[in-house]
Amino acid sequence: MWILFDLSYWSDLDVRHCIDVMHMEKNVCDSVIRTLFNIQGKTKYGLNTRQDLAEMGIRSQLHPRFDGKKNILASSLSYFV
């Protein structure tokens, strides 16, 4: 079932159907824009995430490359193109 129904205050809300859509829309839009524009500190595709992908053995084109002292991260947009 939907997790929002389990909230203690869910039955007291007057406009239940609008709150979830509004927040989901904002979160999805923020995430897509941050990823597309590669906004530093805001994207969820940082070094730790890329190392997790490498450990799981998925999306090899997004794995971090180590070039001497620096970590090189491929653009996350390259995965979608």
Side-chain angles (χ1 to χ4, degrees):
M1 199 73 188
W2 209 19
I3 193 167
L4 294 178
F5 292 145
D6 295 334
L7 297 173
S8 60
Y9 58 86
W10 184 254
S11 60
D12 298 327
L13 295 175
D14 294 328
V15 192
R16 290 175 272 210
H17 62 282
C18 293
I19 292 174
D20 185 48
V21 173
M22 177 182 65
H23 287 103
M24 298 241 328
E25 196 172 87
K26 179 195 175 293
N27 292 338
V28 168
C29 182
D30 286 349
S31 181
V32 167
I33 294 214
R34 290 173 183 163
T35 300
L36 289 177
F37 291 112
N38 198 23
I39 298 173
Q40 294 299 323
K42 297 291 183 177
T43 182
K44 296 181 181 186
Y45 289 103
L47 180 60
N48 290 335
T49 304
R50 303 294 180 90
Q51 289 173 339
D52 289 343
L53 292 175
E55 283 182 24
M56 290 187 281
I58 58 175
R59 297 185 180 176
S60 60
Q61 65 274 22
L62 293 178
H63 293 180
R65 293 181 315 229
F66 302 103
D67 184 30
K69 296 180 182 178
K70 295 176 82 174
N71 294 317
I72 300 172
L73 301 178
S75 171
S76 53
L77 182 59
S78 66
Y79 178 73
F80 298 106
V81 175

